[in-house]
Amino acid sequence: MGIYNRILKKSLWVFHVSASPCNNCDIEILDLLTPGYDLERFGIKLVGSIRHADVLLITGMGGCKISERVIRLYNQAPKPIFVVAVGTCPIGGATFKDSYSRCGPLDKLIPVDLYIPGCPPKPETMIEGLLRLLGRLD
Ligand code: SF4
C-alpha cells in the first residue's frame, strides 16, 4: 500500500508536551504547522487534549517536576497511545545531561515508541518520523 493511501486511511492526532526543553525543539514543531511544511496535509494535526490523542509528542530533558505530569498524562491517554520523543534531550539530556533537576531519560518514565534525535531535529526529520509511525499502524 502506498504511503498516501496509508495517510488517507488513518490520521494521527498529536498532543505535544514540553517537558523542560530549551524551546528550540518546540519552535521546530511550530514550524511544522506553517504553510512551508503544512503537517496537516498528511492528516497529522495537533490537538489540545490528551483524551483525543493518538500520539504523545514530548520535547525536553524531563525535569523532575514535569516528569510527574508526563506520567499522569500518559496514564490519562486513551490506549494505544504512541509516545514520540523529539530531540536529543529526552534521550540523553543534551545540554542538560548533568542537570540536578533532570529525572529523564524519558524511557525511564514511560515507554517510548519512536525517537527523533537532533538538537533540534529539522521539521523534515520529524515529518519522516511521524510518517514511519503511520506506516507501523498498518
Ligand atoms: S534537544 Fe537540543 S534543541 Fe531540543 S530542547 Fe534539547 S537542548 Fe533544546
Side-chain angles (χ1 to χ4, degrees), residues 35-47:
Y37 292 102
D38 191 15
L39 189 65
E40 288 194 16
R41 78 193 138 122
F42 299 111
I44 302 169
K45 61 181 257 179
L46 291 186
V47 292

PDB file of all heavy atoms in Angstrom, residues 35-47:
ATOM      1  N   PRO A  35       2.694  27.132   6.578  1.00  0.00           N
ATOM      2  CA  PRO A  35       2.414  26.684   5.201  1.00  0.00           C
ATOM      3  C   PRO A  35       3.615  26.015   4.545  1.00  0.00           C
ATOM      4  O   PRO A  35       3.457  25.165   3.663  1.00  0.00           O
ATOM      5  CB  PRO A  35       2.051  27.991   4.486  1.00  0.00           C
ATOM      6  CG  PRO A  35       1.552  28.883   5.569  1.00  0.00           C
ATOM      7  CD  PRO A  35       2.354  28.539   6.790  1.00  0.00           C
ATOM      8  N   GLY A  36       4.821  26.339   4.974  1.00  0.00           N
ATOM      9  CA  GLY A  36       6.017  25.731   4.376  1.00  0.00           C
ATOM     10  C   GLY A  36       6.064  24.231   4.553  1.00  0.00           C
ATOM     11  O   GLY A  36       6.485  23.499   3.663  1.00  0.00           O
ATOM     12  N   TYR A  37       5.657  23.727   5.707  1.00  0.00           N
ATOM     13  CA  TYR A  37       5.704  22.282   5.974  1.00  0.00           C
ATOM     14  C   TYR A  37       4.303  21.659   5.998  1.00  0.00           C
ATOM     15  O   TYR A  37       4.143  20.500   5.652  1.00  0.00           O
ATOM     16  CB  TYR A  37       6.432  22.008   7.299  1.00  0.00           C
ATOM     17  CG  TYR A  37       7.889  22.355   7.205  1.00  0.00           C
ATOM     18  CD1 TYR A  37       8.369  23.547   7.755  1.00  0.00           C
ATOM     19  CD2 TYR A  37       8.775  21.535   6.531  1.00  0.00           C
ATOM     20  CE1 TYR A  37       9.706  23.886   7.643  1.00  0.00           C
ATOM     21  CE2 TYR A  37      10.108  21.862   6.413  1.00  0.00           C
ATOM     22  CZ  TYR A  37      10.574  23.047   6.972  1.00  0.00           C
ATOM     23  OH  TYR A  37      11.876  23.378   6.846  1.00  0.00           O
ATOM     24  N   ASP A  38       3.320  22.413   6.439  1.00  0.00           N
ATOM     25  CA  ASP A  38       1.905  22.035   6.359  1.00  0.00           C
ATOM     26  C   ASP A  38       1.651  20.585   6.783  1.00  0.00           C
ATOM     27  O   ASP A  38       1.227  19.744   5.988  1.00  0.00           O
ATOM     28  CB  ASP A  38       1.402  22.270   4.927  1.00  0.00           C
ATOM     29  CG  ASP A  38      -0.115  22.149   4.871  1.00  0.00           C
ATOM     30  OD1 ASP A  38      -0.754  22.174   5.928  1.00  0.00           O
ATOM     31  OD2 ASP A  38      -0.651  22.027   3.760  1.00  0.00           O
ATOM     32  N   LEU A  39       1.913  20.324   8.056  1.00  0.00           N
ATOM     33  CA  LEU A  39       1.791  18.955   8.583  1.00  0.00           C
ATOM     34  C   LEU A  39       0.406  18.349   8.348  1.00  0.00           C
ATOM     35  O   LEU A  39       0.267  17.151   8.148  1.00  0.00           O
ATOM     36  CB  LEU A  39       2.103  18.985  10.092  1.00  0.00           C
ATOM     37  CG  LEU A  39       2.244  17.658  10.794  1.00  0.00           C
ATOM     38  CD1 LEU A  39       3.443  16.887  10.261  1.00  0.00           C
ATOM     39  CD2 LEU A  39       2.356  17.849  12.299  1.00  0.00           C
ATOM     40  N   GLU A  40      -0.620  19.209   8.341  1.00  0.00           N
ATOM     41  CA  GLU A  40      -1.990  18.681   8.221  1.00  0.00           C
ATOM     42  C   GLU A  40      -2.271  18.066   6.859  1.00  0.00           C
ATOM     43  O   GLU A  40      -3.226  17.312   6.706  1.00  0.00           O
ATOM     44  CB  GLU A  40      -3.002  19.779   8.548  1.00  0.00           C
ATOM     45  CG  GLU A  40      -3.006  20.092  10.041  1.00  0.00           C
ATOM     46  CD  GLU A  40      -4.204  20.913  10.479  1.00  0.00           C
ATOM     47  OE1 GLU A  40      -5.193  20.994   9.724  1.00  0.00           O
ATOM     48  OE2 GLU A  40      -4.132  21.486  11.564  1.00  0.00           O
ATOM     49  N   ARG A  41      -1.407  18.349   5.867  1.00  0.00           N
ATOM     50  CA  ARG A  41      -1.645  17.714   4.550  1.00  0.00           C
ATOM     51  C   ARG A  41      -1.483  16.210   4.646  1.00  0.00           C
ATOM     52  O   ARG A  41      -1.939  15.449   3.793  1.00  0.00           O
ATOM     53  CB  ARG A  41      -0.728  18.315   3.488  1.00  0.00           C
ATOM     54  CG  ARG A  41       0.697  17.809   3.513  1.00  0.00           C
ATOM     55  CD  ARG A  41       1.608  18.653   2.654  1.00  0.00           C
ATOM     56  NE  ARG A  41       2.853  18.875   3.351  1.00  0.00           N
ATOM     57  CZ  ARG A  41       4.031  18.520   2.854  1.00  0.00           C
ATOM     58  NH1 ARG A  41       4.111  17.982   1.674  1.00  0.00           N
ATOM     59  NH2 ARG A  41       5.129  18.743   3.543  1.00  0.00           N
ATOM     60  N   PHE A  42      -0.768  15.718   5.679  1.00  0.00           N
ATOM     61  CA  PHE A  42      -0.606  14.279   5.893  1.00  0.00           C
ATOM     62  C   PHE A  42      -1.687  13.722   6.817  1.00  0.00           C
ATOM     63  O   PHE A  42      -1.628  12.557   7.215  1.00  0.00           O
ATOM     64  CB  PHE A  42       0.769  13.983   6.510  1.00  0.00           C
ATOM     65  CG  PHE A  42       1.925  14.413   5.646  1.00  0.00           C
ATOM     66  CD1 PHE A  42       2.735  15.469   6.023  1.00  0.00           C
ATOM     67  CD2 PHE A  42       2.194  13.763   4.453  1.00  0.00           C
ATOM     68  CE1 PHE A  42       3.794  15.867   5.230  1.00  0.00           C
ATOM     69  CE2 PHE A  42       3.247  14.149   3.652  1.00  0.00           C
ATOM     70  CZ  PHE A  42       4.049  15.203   4.035  1.00  0.00           C
ATOM     71  N   GLY A  43      -2.630  14.565   7.211  1.00  0.00           N
ATOM     72  CA  GLY A  43      -3.661  14.116   8.144  1.00  0.00           C
ATOM     73  C   GLY A  43      -3.180  14.107   9.577  1.00  0.00           C
ATOM     74  O   GLY A  43      -3.811  13.518  10.447  1.00  0.00           O
ATOM     75  N   ILE A  44      -2.050  14.758   9.837  1.00  0.00           N
ATOM     76  CA  ILE A  44      -1.494  14.795  11.193  1.00  0.00           C
ATOM     77  C   ILE A  44      -1.780  16.175  11.763  1.00  0.00           C
ATOM     78  O   ILE A  44      -1.417  17.181  11.157  1.00  0.00           O
ATOM     79  CB  ILE A  44       0.032  14.551  11.168  1.00  0.00           C
ATOM     80  CG1 ILE A  44       0.348  13.213  10.504  1.00  0.00           C
ATOM     81  CG2 ILE A  44       0.606  14.600  12.575  1.00  0.00           C
ATOM     82  CD1 ILE A  44       1.818  13.003  10.185  1.00  0.00           C
ATOM     83  N   LYS A  45      -2.470  16.224  12.916  1.00  0.00           N
ATOM     84  CA  LYS A  45      -2.754  17.534  13.480  1.00  0.00           C
ATOM     85  C   LYS A  45      -2.540  17.551  14.984  1.00  0.00           C
ATOM     86  O   LYS A  45      -2.650  16.514  15.651  1.00  0.00           O
ATOM     87  CB  LYS A  45      -4.171  17.988  13.131  1.00  0.00           C
ATOM     88  CG  LYS A  45      -5.277  17.102  13.650  1.00  0.00           C
ATOM     89  CD  LYS A  45      -6.631  17.638  13.221  1.00  0.00           C
ATOM     90  CE  LYS A  45      -7.301  18.330  14.377  1.00  0.00           C
ATOM     91  NZ  LYS A  45      -8.595  18.897  14.061  1.00  0.00           N
ATOM     92  N   LEU A  46      -2.206  18.743  15.485  1.00  0.00           N
ATOM     93  CA  LEU A  46      -2.049  18.895  16.926  1.00  0.00           C
ATOM     94  C   LEU A  46      -3.422  19.071  17.549  1.00  0.00           C
ATOM     95  O   LEU A  46      -4.278  19.762  16.994  1.00  0.00           O
ATOM     96  CB  LEU A  46      -1.181  20.118  17.252  1.00  0.00           C
ATOM     97  CG  LEU A  46       0.305  20.047  16.902  1.00  0.00           C
ATOM     98  CD1 LEU A  46       1.021  21.284  17.431  1.00  0.00           C
ATOM     99  CD2 LEU A  46       0.968  18.795  17.465  1.00  0.00           C
ATOM    100  N   VAL A  47      -3.629  18.434  18.711  1.00  0.00           N
ATOM    101  CA  VAL A  47      -4.895  18.572  19.425  1.00  0.00           C
ATOM    102  C   VAL A  47      -4.625  19.124  20.826  1.00  0.00           C
ATOM    103  O   VAL A  47      -3.507  19.042  21.345  1.00  0.00           O
ATOM    104  CB  VAL A  47      -5.661  17.237  19.511  1.00  0.00           C
ATOM    105  CG1 VAL A  47      -6.139  16.801  18.149  1.00  0.00           C
ATOM    106  CG2 VAL A  47      -4.827  16.148  20.163  1.00  0.00           C
TER     107      VAL A  47
END
